[in-house]
Amino acid sequence: MHFLLSLLSLFSFFHGKSPVTWTSESVKINSNEYNLVFTANIEDGWNIYSQYLKNDEGPVRTSITYDSKDGYELIGKNEETGEIKKIMDEMFGMEVIKIKHKGTFTQRIKVSNLSKPISGYIEFMCCNEQQCLPPRQINFTIDLKAAN
């Protein structure tokens, strides 16, 4: 039965269903600074991993990659909030930082050209207590003019 459930989970994953859904938005701070906010909504029993893992020998860390930084620059590092726990993970045999239920990733930017949308992709891996699904990339496009 466990094998059948694993197969069904993988089948669902490869056909578009994922235990993690993402949203993205921009929040205007002042005339030329914005926060880019990426939110992961994670189904009960599943988790994703922090951007700030100690090394790459275990799970795939969550990462946000921008297509081009033409028209804006990143200010500081991306902050993550939510139900975040640093634990010893038996599956990977190492200490990891897991995010459960909802994770928010916020990157402050300074904009020099509002007419160019910000695009890129989020890469993440999700696991439960029995299995991990293959890493996945989700594309995003954020139009800063909409935040004005």
Side-chain angles (χ1 to χ4, degrees):
M1 184 67 165
H2 177 69
F3 176 73
L4 180 60
L5 288 174
S6 294
L7 278 177
L8 286 173
S9 293
L10 285 173
F11 179 79
S12 294
F13 177 79
F14 285 116
H15 285 86
K17 175 82 172 91
S18 172
V20 181
T21 57
W22 289 88
T23 59
S24 58
E25 66 178 332
S26 63
V27 177
K28 187 174 183 175
I29 304 300
N30 58 45
S31 63
N32 65 346
E33 290 186 5
Y34 292 76
N35 278 337
L36 304 179
V37 182
F38 304 92
T39 304
N41 291 296
I42 307 160
E43 289 181 10
D44 286 345
W46 291 88
N47 62 267
I48 61 174
Y49 296 90
S50 171
Q51 312 163 85
Y52 305 115
L53 298 178
K54 197 181 320 184
N55 60 53
D56 291 326
E57 295 173 11
V60 173
R61 67 184 70 221
T62 300
S63 63
I64 301 171
T65 302
Y66 300 94
D67 291 334
S68 166
K69 293 189 187 82
D70 186 30
Y72 67 98
E73 64 180 270
L74 304 180
I75 300 173
K77 70 180 198 173
N78 198 334
E79 294 180 20
E80 53 190 34
T81 57
E83 189 178 322
I84 300 171
K85 292 188 179 178
K86 186 182 227 181
I87 64 165
M88 178 62 182
D89 189 292
E90 299 299 321
M91 198 171 343
F92 294 105
M94 63 184 283
E95 191 174 78
V96 298
I97 303 169
K98 291 183 176 184
I99 303 170
K100 295 180 177 276
H101 299 110
K102 183 178 181 179
T104 303
F105 301 82
T106 305
Q107 175 65 61
R108 190 172 210 143
I109 62 169
K110 184 174 185 175
V111 180
S112 58
N113 185 350
L114 277 177
S115 69
K116 296 184 180 191
I118 296 172
S119 61
Y121 63 91
I122 303 163
E123 183 174 31
F124 68 99
M125 179 176 172
C126 60
C127 299
N128 62 20
E129 294 301 318
Q130 289 84 36
Q131 67 179 337
C132 292
L133 299 178
R136 189 167 194 177
Q137 293 181 352
I138 303 294
N139 294 323
F140 66 85
T141 301
I142 299 173
D143 182 2
L144 295 178
K145 289 185 288 187
N148 280 319

